[in-house]
């Protein structure tokens, strides 16, 4: 604690030298805002782990630029110009978006914690903030135009991984970040609010916004060779950012969120462009195991839906997968079903929520989706009538049990094979019970062929997304079917023999 206090006490020294830099940054921002100059920046995006390549493909398809996949799984980076910034909000595979201030591929951390934290403090005043802040302001304008929010304060869901917010105590009144001081001396005197305000009035260049800009710093760190914690890095870096911009720290009602992402020796500093994860976009009625919409989109892209395809989700839960498909791949028709009344009701409510939202925006409210309550192992669907089956199977943790999965998985895979078109049908199945799933596939290998597996992180669990191809074998005529039917006949025969034996015994 003493070292932290010493570091804080040394801050005013460098702060007096960076005063002109703050002034020039503000003038640059105002110049860009007034002239409308087009600048190119790097956008970072967090994506579902395992679907980085899928997200990169979507960026290439919708924005027309090549995305770079980070060493840290679950992140991609791509360039974009400010005149095309609105396009980043059309991406369906990304959870959170941020504009990169600076990135270091091989950052050399000091050996001692004190030296490292001091270096992070000094880094804040050396970063090229101007373009990133301009993009943040433009993004804020775009979101207001689209009605994403009414004000600047919003709460943001913490991203996965170790994260911490910079808890910087500050009770003094501070000037807005756009305000310009007349000289380096006046910049160094920003501890006194009245003096700062008077200097703004004298210069006549005060920003139009009267409120103080609020911020927080979030540190996401991965790696075991760091001498500091995420909380310490966020606290010290956040303190330096506060000294540099004269912003006010607020952990919940912040206007701007500065990100400090550290993955081993890779360091990326950015400014968040999303207030909460985009994976919540479709669901209003959540269940115990609701899938993220971004993960649903990745699963849908795996099976490449075509026009007029019939797509089935036999264990729909809250309807996250068919809803995402009906919105993004709306040339196909989706049938969602579950054996629990509550799950079916949640799906219906989520569909109604999307329809109402579309109607309020003036769009056609209809969606190519229907909902049914059914028995998974006895679907009321004709044989060989479904093109694609895509579902989130029970992991055996929060829903069902591992023991029940050993009976459920083979049964549902057989029923899926029955309704799926031989030779052309596909299935995309998500499960964390990998051992049980592999055994079930091996038992009915004549009906399904495994093409590809994507390993993903689902709520901290290591799960697999399996892409299966329906073989050309006719259901009911494979060796596995013959074996199964013989087993059924033998079981029935054994039951009959046991019954006759019991009758004879009772007669004796």
């Amino acid at each position: 604690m003493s070292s932290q206090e010493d570091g804080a006490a040394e801050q005013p020294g460098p702060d007096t030298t960076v005063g002109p830099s703050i002034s020039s940054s503000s003038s640059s921002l105002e110049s860009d805002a007034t002239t409308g100059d087009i600048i190119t920046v790097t956008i970072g995006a967090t994506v579902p782990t395992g679907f980085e390549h899928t997200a990169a493909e979507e960026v290439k398809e919708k924005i027309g630029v090549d995305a770079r996949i980070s060493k840290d799984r679950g992140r991609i980076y791509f360039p974009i110009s400010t005149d095309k910034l609105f396009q980043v909000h059309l991406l369906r595979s990304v959870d959170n978006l941020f504009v990169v201030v600076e990135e270091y591929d091989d950052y050399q951390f000091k050996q001692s914690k004190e030296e490292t934290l001091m270096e992070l403090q000094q880094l804040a005043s050396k970063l090229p903030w101007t373009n990133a802040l301009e993009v943040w302001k433009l993004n804020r304008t775009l979101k207001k135009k689209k009605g994403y929010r009414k004000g600047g304060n919003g709460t943001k869901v913490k991203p996965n991984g170790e994260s911490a917010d910079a808890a910087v105590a500050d009770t003094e009144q501070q000037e807005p970040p756009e305000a310009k001081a007349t000289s380096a001396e006046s910049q160094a005197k920003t501890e006194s609010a009245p003096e700062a305000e008077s200097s703004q009035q004298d210069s006549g260049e005060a920003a139009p916004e009267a409120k103080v800009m609020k911020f927080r710093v979030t540190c996401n760190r991965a790696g075991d060779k760091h001498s500091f914690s995420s909380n310490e890095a966020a606290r010290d870096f956040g303190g330096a950012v506060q000294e540099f911009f004269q912003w006010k720290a607020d952990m919940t009602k912040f206007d701007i969120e500065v990100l400090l992402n550290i993955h081993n020796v890779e360091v990326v500093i950015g400014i968040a462009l999303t207030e909460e994860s985009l994976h919540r976009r479709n669901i209003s009625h959540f269940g115990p195991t609701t899938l993220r919409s971004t993960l649903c989109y990745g699963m849908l892209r795996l099976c490449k839906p075509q026009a007029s395809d019939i797509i089935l989700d036999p264990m729909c839960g809250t309807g996250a997968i068919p809803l995402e498909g009906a919105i993004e791949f709306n040339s196909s028709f989706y049938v969602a079903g579950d054996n629990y009344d509550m799950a079916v009701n949640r799906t219906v409510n989520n569909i109604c929520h999307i329809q109402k939202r579309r109607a309020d925006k003036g769009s056609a409210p209809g969606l190519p989706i229907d909902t049914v309550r059914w028995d998974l192992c006895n679907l009321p669907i004709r044989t060989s009538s479904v093109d694609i089956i895509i579902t989130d199977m029970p992991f055996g943790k929060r829903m069902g049990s591992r023991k029940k999965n050993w009976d459920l998985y083979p049964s549902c895979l057989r029923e899926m094979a029955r309704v799926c078109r031989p030779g052309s049908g596909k299935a995309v199945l998500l499960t964390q019970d990998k051992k049980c799933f592999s055994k079930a596939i091996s038992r009915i290998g004549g009906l399904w062929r495994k093409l590809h597996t994507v390993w993903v992180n689902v709520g901290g669990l290591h799960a697999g997304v399996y892409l299966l191809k329906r073989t050309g074998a006719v259901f009911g005529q494979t060796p596995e079917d013959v074996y199964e039917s013989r087993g059924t006949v033998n079981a029935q025969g054994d039951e009959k023999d046991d019954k006759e034996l019991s009758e004879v015994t009772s007669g004796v």
Side-chain angles (χ1 to χ4, degrees):
M1 291 297 291
S2 61
S3 63
Q4 296 160 8
E5 292 171 0
D6 293 341
E10 292 173 7
Q11 278 301 96
D15 188 42
T16 58
T17 61
V18 298
S21 299
I22 299 177
S23 178
S24 61
S25 292
S26 301
S27 60
S28 300
L29 282 170
E30 291 174 359
S31 173
D32 288 337
T34 53
T35 60
D37 292 340
I38 296 176
I39 57 178
T40 300
V41 295
T42 300
I43 297 293
T46 60
V47 301
T49 304
F51 281 107
E52 295 88 352
H53 289 281
T54 301
E57 289 174 5
E58 188 193 12
V59 169
K60 182 67 174 178
E61 177 185 303
K62 294 184 177 179
I63 302 180
V65 297
D66 294 321
R68 170 173 55 89
I69 298 174
S70 171
K71 299 175 187 176
D72 184 12
R73 293 189 70 195
R75 285 193 177 91
I76 63 170
Y77 298 94
F78 57 92
I80 197 167
S81 55
T82 49
D83 60 328
K84 298 180 180 179
L85 184 63
F86 70 94
Q87 293 179 335
V88 302
H89 293 287
L90 303 178
L91 299 175
R92 310 289 295 184
S93 58
V94 302
D95 289 321
N96 292 287
L97 293 161
F98 60 94
V99 56
V100 174
V101 176
E102 189 65 279
E103 54 183 325
Y104 304 90
D105 293 331
D106 189 14
Y107 192 90
Q108 299 299 318
F109 290 103
K110 301 295 184 182
Q111 292 294 326
S112 69
K113 179 168 70 173
E114 289 76 12
E115 289 178 335
T116 301
L117 294 177
M118 178 59 68
E119 195 172 61
L120 286 176
Q121 292 176 19
Q122 296 170 354
L123 183 64
S125 62
K126 300 174 183 177
L127 295 172
W129 295 96
T130 304
N131 286 349
L133 285 170
E134 179 63 25
V135 169
W136 173 80
K137 290 168 65 179
L138 177 60
N139 181 71
R140 200 179 186 191
T141 304
L142 290 172
K143 292 169 76 174
K144 283 182 178 178
K145 285 181 180 178
K146 292 185 178 182
Y148 288 145
R149 62 177 178 182
K150 297 179 180 179
N153 298 336
T155 57
K156 179 179 174 68
V157 177
K158 290 185 180 179
N160 291 334
E162 184 179 1
S163 62
D165 301 328
V168 185
D170 180 36
T171 57
E172 300 172 356
Q173 181 70 27
Q174 299 161 333
E175 63 179 359
E178 291 85 354
K180 293 198 278 186
T182 56
S183 64
E185 290 83 2
S186 63
Q187 190 70 35
K189 293 179 182 177
T190 52
E191 293 92 353
S192 173
E195 291 180 11
E197 292 173 358
S198 62
S199 65
Q200 293 170 14
Q201 293 172 359
D202 293 340
S203 62
E205 296 176 351
E209 292 186 5
K211 71 171 188 175
V212 177
M213 188 68 70
K214 299 177 182 179
F215 85 107
R216 82 172 185 186
V217 171
T218 300
C219 177
N220 301 296
R221 184 180 62 86
D224 55 0
K225 295 183 179 180
H226 301 133
S227 60
F228 55 89
S229 67
S230 298
N231 190 50
E232 291 170 335
R235 182 198 59 211
D236 285 43
F237 183 73
V241 170
Q242 183 182 31
E243 290 282 344
F244 186 75
F245 287 107
Q246 294 299 304
W247 290 339
K248 183 178 181 181
D250 194 316
M251 299 303 103
T252 55
K253 297 181 179 180
F254 52 87
D255 299 295
I256 185 167
E257 180 176 26
V258 179
L259 304 174
L260 178 61
N261 298 324
I262 303 172
H263 181 256
N264 292 325
V265 295
E266 184 183 57
V267 177
V268 179
I269 297 96
I271 297 176
L273 299 180
T274 49
E275 294 171 355
E276 72 170 3
S277 179
L278 300 176
H279 77 259
R280 296 169 172 264
R281 56 180 173 253
N282 296 335
I283 306 300
S284 58
H285 294 73
F286 289 85
T289 58
T290 301
L291 271 190
R292 291 182 291 172
S293 297
T294 47
L295 182 56
C296 298
Y297 178 82
M299 293 173 65
L300 284 158
R301 277 189 75 104
L302 267 183
C303 58
K304 299 177 181 177
Q306 303 297 315
S308 76
D309 276 353
I310 303 298
I311 301 178
L312 179 71
D313 184 352
M315 294 176 274
C316 66
T318 57
I321 295 175
L323 260 176
E324 182 66 25
I327 294 170
E328 187 64 16
F329 304 95
N330 54 16
S331 296
S332 304
F333 186 79
Y334 300 82
V335 182
D338 206 291
N339 65 331
Y340 288 108
D341 287 330
M342 190 173 293
V344 175
N345 290 337
R346 288 193 183 109
T347 300
V348 172
N349 288 332
N350 284 323
I351 293 172
C352 293
H353 169 73
I354 295 295
Q355 289 175 329
K356 183 178 183 302
R357 190 171 70 185
R358 289 161 68 98
D360 292 343
K361 291 182 178 180
S363 303
L367 290 172
I369 186 173
D370 206 350
T371 310
V372 188
R373 185 187 183 280
W374 56 33
D375 176 8
L376 168 65
C377 298
N378 188 23
L379 297 173
I381 295 177
R382 286 184 303 178
T383 300
S384 306
S385 62
V386 174
D387 297 287
I388 295 172
I389 296 173
I390 178 168
T391 195
D392 173 18
M393 302 181 75
F395 289 8
K397 291 185 177 293
R398 275 183 274 185
M399 293 294 289
S401 68
R402 291 291 180 95
K403 185 178 180 181
K404 291 180 180 179
N405 283 352
W406 285 98
D407 294 326
L408 175 65
Y409 279 22
S411 300
C412 70
L413 283 171
R414 282 177 54 79
E415 185 65 1
M416 290 177 188
R418 181 186 70 80
V419 301
C420 203
R421 298 187 194 277
S424 62
K426 288 175 285 188
V428 176
L429 309 176
L430 168 66
T431 180
Q432 191 260 343
D433 198 346
K434 299 179 281 290
K435 183 178 179 180
C436 182
F437 185 81
S438 298
K439 287 285 186 181
I441 286 291
S442 64
R443 284 179 59 182
I444 55 172
L447 297 172
W448 292 109
R449 182 164 57 91
K450 188 161 62 174
L451 298 180
H452 183 56
T453 305
V454 177
W455 301 109
V456 297
N457 186 322
V458 182
L461 300 175
H462 186 249
V465 177
Y466 298 89
L467 174 60
L468 308 179
K469 178 74 177 292
R470 177 70 166 86
T471 66
V474 178
F475 183 82
Q477 298 181 10
T478 62
E480 289 79 8
D481 291 320
V482 175
Y483 174 79
E484 291 288 342
S485 61
R486 283 178 179 174
T488 304
V489 171
N490 291 338
Q492 292 175 350
D494 292 341
E495 289 179 2
K496 184 178 180 181
D497 293 341
D498 292 341
K499 184 178 181 181
E500 290 176 351
L501 181 62
S502 63
E503 289 176 352
V504 171
T505 304
S506 62
V508 172

